Structure formats: structure tokens, C-alpha cells
Amino acid sequence: MRIILLGGPGAGKGTQAKKLVDKYGIPQISTGDMLRAALKEGTALGLEAKKFMEAGKLVPDEVVIGLIEERIKLDDCKKGFMLDGFPRTVGQADALKKVLDSMSLKIDHVVSIDVANEELVARLTGRRTCKACGSGFHVLFDPPKKEGVCDKCGGELYQRADDNEETIRSRLKVYDDQTAPLIEYYKKAGLLRPIAGVGSIDEIFAKITSVLGG
Ligand code: AP5
Ligand code: MG
């Protein structure tokens, strides 16, 4: 199964992707995580991406398309994959289709998680992520048992650099201007599975697995 998770910043793509990995055994491919890892390692790619990410702007299409093209050709993607945060522009979506066509593959479902902007701001400002294992939490909506400590591995929790109100506003605008047109794009392609992203994490997970066929 090959899936795209579409949704604004904070819609729950990463949270749901981690649960879907456990259920379906297909890898989560998050361009945001890949870029943050490159930044942490101090690679040329990471340094180039830094200024865009800190400003809440999109990294240029050719950079992320190159990352994805390499990633989906790896062995663990043979049984399928889940794209989290890619594509984010019509150009990226067209490029993805071209790469998949060349491999005689196709996307099965585009799960679009819809959440109102004010809720997104509340989710992002309270998000905490584990430095060691990448698990996500929320100080109010999904708090760790011990403040600042990951429930799963005991790692230290941190707040993402782009989760400040100013950068969040820019990310929301970029989503509306450049990524939201993909909803219509995938609707026309007959692949769109819209999900109302309000409710508990488990309720939304149940809605997603039901559209994916259980
Ligand atoms: P990326 O890392 O993809 O960030 P994003 O799209 O802004 O999305 P987030 O990761 O912030 O949100 P999410 O939907 O994963 O939410 P989460 O599950 O964590 O991209 C970062 C940057 O990298 C971009 O701005 C850009 O610069 C660059 N980039 C990445 N991909 C790119 C691309 N393809 N092209 C160009 N540039 C690219 O949940 C958020 C919080 O809410 C958590 O605290 C969680 O616990 C909580 N939560 C989740 N579900 C619920 C619920 N149901 N109820 C209450 N709280 C909930
Ligand atoms: Mg994410």
C-alpha cells in the first residue's frame, strides 16, 4: 500500500504515521524529519534547508524531490510506504507521479486530515518531541507521564525550532497558498480520502484505518 498523508502543519500527520507504521508495517517517509536529520548532521543539504525551515517557507522542490526519489527506491519500500509532508506543491506531486510511473507503481490513497487553523496553532505550540526516538507528545493533549521525559525510551523532550507563533503563521499561509491546491489535484485523480481531524488521536486513527480498508 502506498499512501500520502496530506494536512496542514500540526494536523497530526506524524502522530498518525507512527501508528500506521505499527499497524501496516510500511515505512514512514517524512521529508521534514529527513531535513531536520540533515541539519543536525550539518550536511550541505541541511545547511541549505535551514533558512527555509526557520522562516516557515518551503525548501525548493528540486531538493525534496531528489530526497524522495532516492528514498522510495530503497528495499524497505518494496511493500509500500507512507509519505508524510510530501508532496507539498503541484510541482512535487507531478514529479512524484513521474518517478512512480517510471517504476510502474501508483499511489493508492491520499488521506487528507482537515483541522481548523486555531486548533493547529494550539497543537504546534504545545508539541514536544523526543530527541532520542522521535516520539511526539503534547503538553496538554497528549502529555508524557513525566514532564520533559519520553514515555517510550526515557529520552529528553524538546520543542521544534519552527514551533513558535511567528513561524507557525508563516507555515499556515504557505500551506494554504501552495499545498492546499493538492486537495483538488488528488480529488480529480480519484485518490482523495478526506478525514475530519478533530477528536482524539485514537478516534482519528480509527477513521483512517477504515478508509484504508481496515
Ligand atoms: P514538517 O516536519 O513536515 O512539518 P509540518 O508539515 O509543518 O507538519 P508538522 O510535523 O508540524 O505537523 P504534523 O502534521 O506531523 O503534526 P503532529 O503529528 O506532530 O516540515 C517542516 C519544514 O520542513 C517545512 O516548514 C519546510 O520548511 C520543510 N519541508 C518539509 N517537507 C517539505 C517538502 N515536501 N517541500 C518543501 N519543504 C519541506 O502533531 C502536532 C501536535 O498535535 C503534537 O503535539 C501531537 O501530540 C498533537 N496532536 C496530534 N493529533 C492530535 C489530536 N487528534 N488531538 C490533539 N492533539 C493532537
Ligand atoms: Mg510532522
Side-chain angles (χ1 to χ4, degrees):
M1 182 160 53
R2 284 170 293 273
I3 317 169
I4 293 172
L5 292 175
L6 193 62
K13 302 180 295 295
T15 303
Q16 297 298 333
K18 294 213 161 46
K19 292 170 75 70
L20 292 164
V21 167
D22 292 342
K23 184 168 170 82
Y24 296 105
I26 52 174
Q28 169 195 11
I29 301 177
S30 158
T31 38
D33 287 349
M34 291 162 92
L35 293 168
R36 278 184 292 279
L39 188 62
K40 203 173 152 194
E41 285 162 24
T43 65
L45 170 80
L47 293 175
E48 192 195 342
K50 186 174 192 252
K51 55 182 186 292
F52 297 102
M53 297 174 81
E54 280 181 352
K57 300 265 159 50
L58 294 183
V59 171
D61 278 359
E62 59 274 17
V63 174
V64 285
I65 291 166
L67 277 179
I68 287 290
E69 188 166 2
E70 243 176 61
R71 182 66 185 86
I72 61 180
K73 289 183 172 157
L74 297 184
D75 270 357
D76 66 335
C77 291
K78 287 212 166 86
K79 55 193 171 186
F81 53 77
M82 203 176 348
L83 297 176
D84 158 8
F86 182 93
R88 275 167 126 102
T89 63
V90 169
Q92 291 179 22
D94 287 340
L96 173 67
K97 179 150 191 333
K98 221 166 130 189
V99 175
L100 290 175
D101 282 349
S102 76
M103 299 166 76
S104 304
L105 297 175
K106 60 178 183 53
I107 293 295
D108 301 300
H109 305 281
V110 177
V111 177
S112 164
I113 310 176
D114 183 38
V115 179
N117 279 3
E118 284 321 301
E119 170 73 12
L120 293 178
V121 175
R123 287 188 187 181
L124 291 172
T125 47
R127 171 166 55 189
R128 298 292 181 273
T129 308
C130 177
K131 267 187 185 164
C133 75
S135 291
F137 297 89
H138 190 283
V139 292
L140 300 175
F141 309 143
D142 186 18
K145 291 193 184 80
K146 189 171 173 222
E147 199 189 316
V149 180
C150 176
D151 285 356
K152 291 182 186 126
C153 77
E156 188 190 337
L157 302 185
Y158 79 103
Q159 187 167 19
R160 257 170 57 176
D162 59 349
D163 280 350
N164 62 77
E165 188 128 3
E166 193 190 341
T167 310
I168 292 170
R169 293 284 168 200
S170 164
R171 288 157 64 200
L172 288 170
K173 182 161 182 352
V174 165
Y175 177 81
D176 288 341
D177 292 348
Q178 300 190 58
T179 308
L182 292 180
I183 295 174
E184 200 50 39
Y185 179 103
Y186 285 118
K187 196 173 176 183
K188 276 195 189 132
L191 296 174
L192 193 76
R193 319 285 179 251
I195 302 275
V198 277
S200 73
I201 291 170
D202 286 340
E203 279 162 3
I204 292 159
F205 183 64
K207 285 194 234 174
I208 295 177
T209 54
S210 115
V211 303
L212 297 181

